[in-house]
Amino acid sequence: MRLRRTKLYLPGNNPNMLLRGHLFEPDGVILDLEDAVAVSEKDSARILVRDVLKRGDFGDCEVTVRINAMDTDLWRADIETVVPCGIDGIRIPKVENPKDIRLMDEALSGIESKAGIPVGKTLIFCLLETALGIWRSYDIATASKRIAAICPGGEDLRADLKTTRSENSEELIGPRRIVVLAAHAAGVDALDTVYADITNDEGLRRETEWVKQLGFQGKSVIHPNQIPIIHEIFTPTAKEIEQARRIIEAAAEAAAKGLGAVQVDGRMVDKPVVKRAEFTLQRAGLKSGGER
Amino acid sequence: MKTAQAGTLESMDCIVTVSESEKGRGISVSMEGASVARFGGAIIDSTKETLKNLDIHDVSVSIQDNGAGDLVLRARVEAAATRLTGGDAR
């Protein structure tokens, strides 16, 4: 399982952030060619992002590029430029239609085979930033084997829902639950949107704990200071890891003896408990498996 | 005379301005900024090499540097030159 607790956005026309963003040790970086780049600078940002990708110094980060939306005339040039650099994935904004994902899948395959990259290597992360995109989230998440995650939008989604931001983001409760359900039904990650108030650490902590409880695997990040807070919340504690190990050992022993269930710390250990324990170890980076 | 520009004066960036010159005049480079005293020679070499790779041979280039490394300089030169020639900035 690839950890995707944090994905740090790096503005595509900002050399300082593009070259140094990975040093803050997020699980992934998103080189952004979309909203962070003025329309007049798209060409220049594309060249800069290409050269930063070619340099390839991103530590252990999963490297993705947010391309321009598929209803613009920019997305083809974006993928033709960045995919041959061997990135881990692309992030598509404002996805509404599974047909667009199939079109993207084909386009990526063509570029990969021309560039000598294994076909299917480039993953797709879908941003669902409209009511229609959220409504179709399961169909989108299953439209290609390349889909690694689906992510609800923030401000764009609020605008499409004809609402505004509230203190606890109550307006996004429904969309977030739908995305989590669709993602897990499809076997992909559910990754949450950014927390925009970069000075409010308590608010970030509260929201992150809540989305973790809902079933998200991580959040996008717009400021490096947000990374340690989110990592702390999404990383199992030593006590949780120890307990998960004991549960898995006890379950293995029981299976070897032909027993169906067993007790650990006075609690019955059955299949769902073992599954949760395995997930805890995957999150701690101590066990392979899980979603793409 | 046609002129095109790319880049910013943010930290680790530079502004590159490329202007058309008469055929046969070659590439001339002028610079100002933080790294010029130490890296002026390397900046000129990288600028000329980037332009020649784009098959551009007669331009004057002005660079305002704010700590751009070689990678950023080359990207900005390419962006400005591509804008000048009106090509696809890919």
Side-chain angles (χ1 to χ4, degrees), chain A residues 52-189:
Chain A
V52 172
L53 289 170
K54 278 185 182 167
R55 190 187 70 145
D57 182 10
F58 293 101
D60 293 330
C61 289
E62 183 173 47
V63 179
T64 56
V65 175
R66 179 161 74 165
I67 61 166
N68 287 284
M70 293 182 72
D71 61 356
T72 69
D73 57 4
L74 298 165
W75 70 271
R76 278 192 190 273
D78 288 345
I79 60 170
E80 282 166 8
T81 304
V82 300
V83 171
C85 300
I87 55 174
D88 293 309
I90 55 159
R91 182 168 273 239
I92 313 175
K94 300 177 185 68
V95 179
E96 287 192 327
N97 197 330
K99 273 187 194 165
D100 287 342
I101 299 302
R102 288 190 279 274
L103 174 65
M104 178 62 77
D105 191 322
E106 272 175 38
L108 290 174
S109 295
I111 296 168
E112 286 170 337
S113 81
K114 216 167 139 189
I117 292 170
V119 171
K121 175 188 178 287
T122 313
L123 301 174
I124 297 176
F125 297 74
C126 295
L127 293 172
L128 311 176
E129 301 176 89
T130 62
L132 186 57
I134 296 287
W135 194 251
R136 289 173 166 167
S137 48
Y138 178 75
D139 291 339
I140 290 167
T142 52
S144 162
K145 285 185 177 166
R146 295 176 186 269
I147 305 282
I150 53 174
C151 323
E155 290 312 308
D156 284 306
L157 183 56
R158 286 186 178 94
D160 199 50
L161 294 171
K162 298 183 171 49
T163 182
T164 53
R165 178 202 299 267
S166 64
E167 202 187 329
N168 294 321
S169 291
E170 283 164 18
E171 64 283 357
L172 297 187
I173 291 175
R176 277 178 161 135
R177 286 192 191 281
I178 291 172
V179 167
V180 165
L181 199 60
H184 293 299
V188 304
D189 279 345

Side-chain angles (χ1 to χ4, degrees), chain A residues 13-17 19-20 40-48 50-52 55 76-77 80-81, chain B residues 5-8 10-14 69 71-72 74-76 78-80 82-83 87-90:
Chain A
N13 206 33
N14 183 326
N16 191 355
M17 282 298 288
L19 293 167
R20 294 176 60 239
S40 60
E41 296 303 316
K42 296 286 187 189
D43 58 341
S44 183
R46 198 181 286 138
I47 292 170
L48 182 62
R50 179 202 65 194
D51 288 358
V52 172
R55 190 187 70 145
R76 278 192 190 273
E80 282 166 8
T81 304
Chain B
Q5 200 171 68
T8 72
E10 298 286 317
S11 160
M12 296 176 74
D13 204 352
C14 60
L71 181 155
V72 177
R74 285 172 186 265
R76 296 316 194 187
E78 181 179 337
T82 310
R83 285 174 177 177
D88 185 352
R90 206 173 291 172

Side-chain angles (χ1 to χ4, degrees), chain B residues 17-79:
Chain B
T17 310
V18 183
S19 307
E20 274 180 339
S21 294
E22 280 174 35
K23 203 167 178 192
R25 294 287 292 272
I27 296 169
S28 65
V29 183
S30 64
M31 301 169 282
E32 57 179 275
S35 315
V36 169
R38 286 175 61 199
F39 302 112
I43 292 172
I44 292 173
D45 290 347
S46 292
T47 303
K48 287 186 172 175
E49 189 180 289
T50 305
L51 291 167
K52 281 177 182 161
N53 287 343
L54 294 166
D55 207 21
I56 294 172
H57 304 281
D58 299 300
V59 286
S60 68
V61 184
S62 159
I63 298 165
Q64 293 170 267
D65 179 53
N66 192 20
D70 190 59
L71 181 155
V72 177
L73 171 73
R74 285 172 186 265
R76 296 316 194 187
V77 170
E78 181 179 337

